Amino acid sequence: MTVRGFAAKRVVTCDPAQGGALGAIDDGLVVVDGARIAFVGRRENAPQGTPVEDLGERVITPGLIDAHTHACWVGSRDEEYAQRMAGRDYRDIARAGGGILSTHRAVAAATEEELADALVGRLRRMASLGVTTVEVKSGYGLDAPHEKRQLRAIARAAAHPDMPSVVPTLLALHALPPSCLDRAAYVARVTGDLVMEVAREKLARFVDAFVDAAAFSAEEALAIGKAALAVGLGVRLHVGQFADVGGAQLAASLGAASVDHLEHVSPEGIDTLARAGVTAVLLPVSSFTLDQPAPPVASLRAAGVPLVVASDANPGTAPTESLPLALAMAVRSYGLSPEEAILGATRNAATSLRLDDRGVLREGARADLAIWDLPHEQAIVQPWGLKKTHLVLVGGRAT
Ligand code: NIG
Ligand code: FE
């Protein structure tokens, strides 16, 4: 049977056409036909003859979309975490060859299959928490062959059946490789050959760069952004995690899909983002872990910058795989409303990934659904740390 209806106390569509902050429908029904949604509305208006499963007091939302992760990694940074909790600085560990470089060594020593297997495990656990689309960055390979291998591992994991869909991103400028003696030559190589090869082999949809003090300058990232756009890839940028080095203005000038982090951004930077229609991807787990301040959420909101919330899942700054945990922190420590947090993991997250077939429940959209064992959608953002899903569908199939 390919047509199935799911009736629940609350169907949270996130579709502005339904009105209200989240387009919620009481006593609602979602009908799935194969991989697509065939009907969304009140239960009493169910298309005739549809077999309907009654989910009772539960809540249905669009499957959650995690728009920023570094989920393809192996190895362990547990020792570093303990050092950091004892007072050592993240950047100090990085300068001493740990941090990103530590995961780089583990990733470089692993096979493509080992990398893919690690990612498959994480994607499965993410799906169990309600996540149906995951952006996954490379960025631990550092040199061209290893970056491409990491992207091939991401593609291999994505091809497994009944997994969240994966949006791969080439994180081209993350850190200088350990053996690098010539910074300009490294940036030129990545900007030239690597971006072109990745586009030709369809290994990524976006290119990212870490634009920050002690990382890469806006000028270096400009080169990579232009190279990406020239071969039809979108741009997303790590901006202002530690300091404002002009990343927001750069993102706006490139027409980037997103700027991510934004703990440090000027009022002018916010204005240019708003005018250019760039989404802000907020990563509360990493600012919590690093003791960074919250981004200027009130100013971003007032300027009309669409807010996205993502997990940043990585072994250094965001030791979690849980997007619902990030939503909880976005509400608790960034001051987002529960509605803003939910939109930030559905409709706005889809916009930031340039996916127009998901993030809302409406006829014709992908049948990506999270069915929650919760009385109300506000319970997604608290209590924390629990698995709260009843059933998760990706393209109409149970994960
Ligand atoms: O988003 N800012 C740089 N990249 C990651 C951290 C990666 C790591 O520490 O392994 C981040 O926080
Ligand atoms: Fe990140």
Side-chain angles (χ1 to χ4, degrees):
M1 179 176 19
T2 60
V3 180
R4 283 171 306 163
F6 297 95
K9 178 83 189 317
R10 261 176 98 72
V11 171
V12 177
T13 67
C14 298
D15 182 357
Q18 298 283 358
L22 291 178
I25 302 171
D26 286 324
D27 296 316
L29 173 74
V30 182
V31 178
V32 170
D33 184 351
R36 297 275 151 186
I37 294 174
F39 172 87
V40 178
R42 285 184 63 87
R43 182 177 190 166
E44 68 224 33
N45 300 327
Q48 269 201 342
T50 309
V52 172
E53 183 179 339
D54 189 352
L55 294 161
E57 299 289 301
R58 297 193 172 94
V59 176
I60 305 179
T61 68
L64 303 184
I65 299 173
D66 197 339
H68 181 138
T69 86
H70 307 253
C72 183
W73 60 276
V74 291
S76 158
R77 297 201 0 225
D78 302 334
E79 178 57 30
E80 273 183 19
Y81 186 80
Q83 286 177 16
R84 277 169 36 217
M85 294 310 106
R88 196 163 172 213
D89 185 65
Y90 175 74
R91 283 160 290 179
D92 181 43
I93 292 173
R95 276 188 292 271
I100 294 166
L101 291 184
S102 150
T103 302
H104 158 70
R105 285 188 291 275
V107 164
T111 64
E112 186 183 307
E113 197 178 356
E114 286 164 345
L115 289 171
D117 286 350
L119 178 56
V120 165
R122 287 191 190 104
L123 291 171
R124 287 221 168 95
R125 292 189 291 273
M126 289 171 164
S128 76
L129 300 172
V131 176
T132 53
T133 297
V134 184
E135 187 260 12
V136 184
K137 301 175 196 298
S138 63
Y140 291 121
L142 302 185
D143 59 46
H146 287 102
E147 281 295 311
K148 283 172 63 179
R149 203 168 60 114
Q150 205 186 350
L151 287 170
R152 278 197 292 269
I154 294 170
R156 191 195 269 235
H160 275 244
D162 305 329
M163 305 277 284
S165 17
V166 169
V167 177
T169 294
L170 167 65
L171 175 44
L173 296 179
H174 198 195
L176 286 178
S179 54
C180 177
L181 297 172
D182 186 342
R183 182 182 180 99
Y186 174 72
V187 174
R189 159 94 173 99
V190 166
T191 303
D193 302 349
L194 178 59
V195 171
M196 215 146 48
E197 288 165 22
V198 163
R200 193 182 322 117
E201 295 172 41
K202 295 194 176 7
L203 286 170
R205 280 193 238 163
F206 291 94
V207 171
D208 194 344
F210 184 12
V211 187
D212 218 305
F216 293 89
S217 68
E219 203 185 2
E220 288 165 331
L222 173 65
I224 203 96
K226 280 187 177 161
L229 296 174
V231 292
L233 299 175
V235 175
R236 18 195 359 100
L237 295 172
H238 282 68
V239 164
Q241 185 178 16
F242 298 101
D244 183 358
V245 297
Q249 286 84 347
L250 167 72
S253 75
L254 286 168
S258 74
V259 277
D260 305 42
H261 286 289
L262 282 188
E263 283 89 333
H264 304 271
V265 60
S266 66
E268 299 73 43
I270 293 175
D271 270 0
T272 52
L273 292 176
R275 272 188 267 115
V278 183
T279 59
V281 178
L282 308 178
L283 305 165
V285 178
S286 61
S287 56
F288 171 74
T289 310
L290 295 170
D291 267 333
Q292 287 292 313
V297 167
S299 306
L300 290 163
R301 184 191 285 130
V305 177
L307 304 179
V308 177
V309 181
S311 72
D312 200 14
N314 76 71
T317 66
T320 186
E321 297 165 352
S322 173
L323 179 55
L325 178 66
L327 301 185
M329 289 193 175
V331 171
R332 176 62 189 87
S333 25
Y334 281 7
L336 269 69
S337 67
E339 291 80 8
E340 284 177 314
I342 291 168
L343 286 178
T346 54
R347 190 170 86 213
N348 290 351
T351 304
S352 91
L353 292 172
R354 304 227 159 113
L355 298 169
D356 58 11
D357 61 350
R358 68 196 78 182
V360 293
L361 300 178
R362 70 160 70 109
E363 194 184 318
R366 270 174 64 95
D368 289 355
L369 266 56
I371 300 169
W372 303 87
D373 261 328
L374 297 173
H376 193 277
E377 66 276 12
Q378 292 194 336
I380 293 171
V381 303
Q382 56 69 41
W384 307 337
L386 309 172
K387 172 182 174 295
K388 299 190 267 196
T389 51
H390 169 74
L391 179 68
V392 180
L393 298 185
V394 176
R397 292 165 65 99
T399 55

